[in-house]
Amino acid sequence: MKTIAIIVAMSKELGLLLPLLEDARTEEVHGTTFHTGRIGERRIVAMECGIGKVNAAMGTTLLLDTFAPDVVVNTGVAAGAGEGVAVMDVVLASGVAHHDFWCIGEEWGRVPGSPRIIPTVVPEEIALARHVKTGLICSGELFISRREEIDTILGHFPEALAVDMESAAIGQVCCARGVPYVCMRIISDTPWCSHDNSRQYDDFWAEAPAHTFALVETLINAL
């Protein structure tokens, strides 16, 4: 049976994911809780890694070392990076990148030893689904809240559709370890709008978009 790992950053995201698991159990490894079970014919290992790229990288490494999954899926929420996406849209990553990394002698966003655009798997069944946009997702250590911040990111990565705080770190670890990686994020807020996107973000959770997280089940069955 194929093992698929699912990584989310926050307990709110995990709470929307766990109801999809059959025969769910928990297992603690070095202080981190993993949730195991099934979705259809796939064995699932799910974890909440915590917010930010360091937490994401540590969690991904522990998960790979402990469970050796066949595929890693990262899902959760992200900010929209332009007028091509709206709240409740889903962005399926065609690649992921670090928007806040630069080292002398390197292109902006390229970590030495890693591709500037870190590759992802793009399942066709999800790419063709309604309200799904396929494009670049960028990650950094900031909650993006102002249009000026989005403009700066787009200045380096004009093709970006979404911005989060974990996807590129998870992708970098998977790339280094040769594990296929799928990243799918739901747009929770749009900092490029003139209104308060922090309030928009809070309202998004009040709507409890469980129906959108149900796309994860379709994704798992497609892998």
Side-chain angles (χ1 to χ4, degrees):
M1 181 181 290
K2 180 178 285 189
T3 299
I4 298 175
I6 305 177
I7 301 175
V8 298
M10 300 184 293
S11 58
K12 289 179 178 180
E13 297 164 332
L14 187 66
L16 294 172
L17 172 64
L18 291 183
L20 302 177
L21 292 186
E22 304 171 59
D23 303 326
R25 300 184 180 188
T26 60
E27 180 175 340
E28 188 165 307
V29 181
H30 297 306
T32 298
T33 301
F34 293 91
H35 303 263
T36 62
R38 292 184 300 105
I39 294 179
E41 298 301 317
R42 305 288 191 259
R43 178 177 180 245
I44 302 299
V45 179
M47 73 172 300
E48 175 190 340
C49 67
I51 296 172
K53 293 194 289 184
V54 173
N55 283 330
M58 290 193 302
T60 304
T61 301
L62 180 60
L63 188 153
L64 295 182
D65 287 344
T66 305
F67 295 97
D70 298 287
V71 181
V72 171
V73 173
N74 172 227
T75 192
V77 301
E83 297 183 6
V85 291
V87 172
M88 298 297 286
D89 279 347
V90 173
V91 175
L92 178 64
S94 58
V96 292
H98 297 278
H99 70 71
D100 62 348
F101 184 91
W102 180 74
C103 180
I104 190 168
E106 298 288 348
E107 292 181 274
W108 190 278
R110 184 179 183 274
V111 177
S114 182
R116 182 173 185 262
I117 305 296
I118 300 165
T120 57
V121 176
V122 181
E124 185 176 351
E125 293 90 336
I126 301 301
L128 296 176
R130 187 180 180 190
H131 297 307
V132 173
K133 310 287 177 63
T134 301
L136 181 67
I137 297 178
C138 293
S139 303
E141 300 285 18
L142 296 170
F143 181 89
I144 300 301
S145 60
R146 296 182 297 123
R147 184 179 188 121
E148 292 81 4
E149 293 169 328
I150 287 291
D151 288 343
T152 297
I153 293 168
L154 292 176
H156 296 295
F157 296 97
E159 69 273 40
L161 290 186
V163 179
D164 66 25
M165 300 177 70
E166 299 83 26
S167 294
I170 297 170
Q172 185 178 339
V173 174
C174 289
C175 183
R177 298 285 289 270
V179 179
Y181 175 52
V182 180
C183 181
M184 184 175 74
R185 292 278 182 152
I186 303 158
I187 300 302
S188 59
D189 58 293
T190 49
W192 46 268
C193 291
S194 59
H195 55 274
D196 181 358
N197 81 297
S198 297
R199 180 175 296 177
Q200 189 182 36
Y201 176 82
D202 290 337
D203 290 346
F204 169 86
W205 289 109
E207 294 175 11
H211 66 284
T212 310
F213 267 75
L215 259 179
V216 173
E217 189 169 8
T218 302
L219 171 60
I220 295 305
N221 290 329
L223 294 174

